[in-house]
Amino acid sequence: MQIFKFGGASVKDAEGVKNLAHVLKTVGYSNTLIVVSAMGKTTNAMETVILNYFDAKHQLQSSLQEVKKYHNNILLDLFDNEQHQVFKIIDELFQEIVQFFEHNKSPNYNFVYDQVIGFGELISTTIISHYINEIGITNTWLDVRDFIKTDDYYRDAKVHWNQTQELISTRVDNSKLNITQGFLGSDSNNFTTSLGREGSDYTAAVFAFCLNANTVTIWKDVEGLLNADPKQFKATQKIELISYSEVIEMAFYGAQVIHPKTIKPLQNKNIPLHVKCFLNPELKGTTIQNDV
């Protein structure tokens, strides 16, 4: 069992989605679960939509239309037939957002944020699932909110591990290729929650822990972890192998690497974490594990 996580930068356009399929064909996708973020800068765009809902209602519709137009362009690039069922499904997801705004009575910003922000992930995974099915990579789309259960501390929810473990271990068929959303969960009332900073990486770690996965791979636009920030230093070098504890220490001192909350579930079950390049999937990347 392997877990793959693809961030927004890897699926920011139709070419990115096609490249995700190329990565799967290159490295193999049997017994795999894929966790995917919202496409490109969709989360930022959805945050603008939410702000407009509270502070600039006259701009709400236009800001939501921008998000819809962005995804529709990707759909048109991926699917030749505009009658394909995916167009209708995506349209229904946007209708859900509109209906939520029309019926919401809660003034709680954090609650509203979590009910809306996750549509970025729901839309991206729906598009990708239908596209890779279309080209012959059969997969099952999972709604992560049915599996990761949390408290109701919106925007930084804590995972209820026992319930989550039970749901994932009994309801995920790990003999198939599954695709699901990063960043999201749901509370006891089935309202959507979000997992906070680096939530998609953390989602991959949660599934890995609950499914006793062999490995987790985070696909990035770099060859692996580097020994310094390439924007600040020349001649940076890739780290081939590093321990969990050292990565946590790097993060503590401000390095934009892997968030410690992602590391902890993997460290507890000694599951190696690979950081690899989605632009060149055959490169070795960096491996993070115990006892280095």
Side-chain angles (χ1 to χ4, degrees):
M1 183 69 190
Q2 59 184 351
I3 311 293
F4 288 167
K5 181 262 175 174
F6 290 89
S10 67
V11 290
K12 65 183 179 182
D13 51 26
E15 288 307 309
V17 175
K18 291 175 183 176
N19 185 66
L20 182 150
H22 168 70
V23 170
L24 296 179
K25 289 178 178 177
T26 302
V27 302
Y29 52 84
S30 60
N31 310 105
T32 299
L33 184 140
I34 307 171
V35 175
V36 187
S37 301
M39 292 174 154
K41 301 292 185 183
T42 297
T43 299
N44 292 347
M46 292 301 289
E47 286 179 340
T48 300
V49 170
I50 295 161
L51 284 172
N52 287 342
Y53 170 72
F54 281 100
D55 300 329
K57 283 278 201 305
H58 62 287
Q59 295 180 25
L60 177 60
Q61 191 61 35
S62 61
S63 58
L64 189 56
Q65 279 302 119
E66 282 297 310
V67 181
K68 188 172 184 179
K69 180 181 176 184
Y70 167 70
H71 288 93
N72 201 54
N73 286 337
I74 293 174
L75 284 169
L76 291 169
D77 287 339
L78 291 174
F79 299 92
D80 295 330
N81 180 12
E82 288 187 49
Q83 302 306 311
H84 193 288
Q85 63 175 335
V86 69
F87 286 87
K88 181 172 182 288
I89 296 169
I90 296 303
D91 189 60
E92 287 170 353
L93 286 169
F94 278 101
Q95 284 302 317
E96 276 189 51
I97 302 172
V98 172
Q99 288 167 10
F100 170 78
F101 284 140
E102 288 175 350
H103 296 102
N104 175 58
K105 298 291 192 292
S106 174
N108 183 335
Y109 179 87
N110 290 342
F111 170 78
V112 172
Y113 182 98
D114 274 6
Q115 304 324 298
V116 175
I117 202 72
F119 277 94
E121 279 74 14
L122 295 169
I123 291 164
S124 71
T125 52
T126 299
I127 292 172
I128 293 164
S129 175
H130 278 86
Y131 174 74
I132 62 176
N133 260 327
E134 189 82 355
I135 63 168
I137 303 176
T138 304
N139 70 94
T140 302
W141 184 90
L142 305 176
D143 188 331
V144 73
R145 298 171 296 181
D146 295 335
F147 297 91
I148 294 183
K149 304 303 287 187
T150 72
D151 62 16
D152 60 0
Y153 194 85
Y154 299 109
R155 296 190 70 188
D156 195 15
K158 304 297 181 288
V159 173
H160 287 161
W161 279 96
N162 290 341
Q163 192 179 4
T164 298
Q165 171 78 71
E166 174 72 15
L167 289 167
I168 290 176
S169 60
T170 59
R171 294 174 59 184
V172 174
D173 183 351
N174 58 14
S175 67
K176 296 180 178 178
L177 173 63
N178 296 286
I179 180 168
T180 195
Q181 307 78 37
F183 183 54
L184 306 176
S186 68
D187 64 17
S188 59
N189 293 312
N190 289 326
F191 288 118
T192 306
T193 57
S194 64
L195 305 179
R197 183 182 160 201
E198 304 299 333
S200 291
D201 289 357
Y202 186 42
T203 303
V206 171
F207 274 97
F209 181 92
C210 294
L211 292 169
N212 292 313
N214 295 332
T215 63
V216 175
T217 303
I218 295 177
W219 294 95
K220 292 177 146 319
D221 57 358
V222 292
E223 294 181 9
L225 295 186
L226 304 176
N227 65 340
D229 184 346
K231 295 173 185 172
Q232 304 291 334
F233 295 92
K234 294 179 180 177
T236 54
Q237 294 180 336
K238 188 185 74 175
I239 299 168
E240 300 281 343
L241 194 61
I242 190 170
S243 69
Y244 289 126
S245 57
E246 196 165 0
V247 169
I248 290 170
E249 193 172 339
M250 288 169 68
F252 179 81
Y253 285 106
Q256 299 296 309
V257 283
I258 311 297
H259 196 279
K261 74 176 183 182
T262 298
I263 296 290
K264 194 61 184 160
L266 304 178
Q267 191 176 21
N268 287 348
K269 286 201 174 177
N270 200 17
I271 300 170
L273 173 63
H274 304 292
V275 179
K276 298 185 71 175
C277 182
F278 60 75
L279 300 171
N280 195 342
E282 292 177 312
L283 289 177
K284 189 177 178 183
T286 297
T287 297
I288 306 164
Q289 62 185 46
N290 276 327
D291 306 320
V292 175

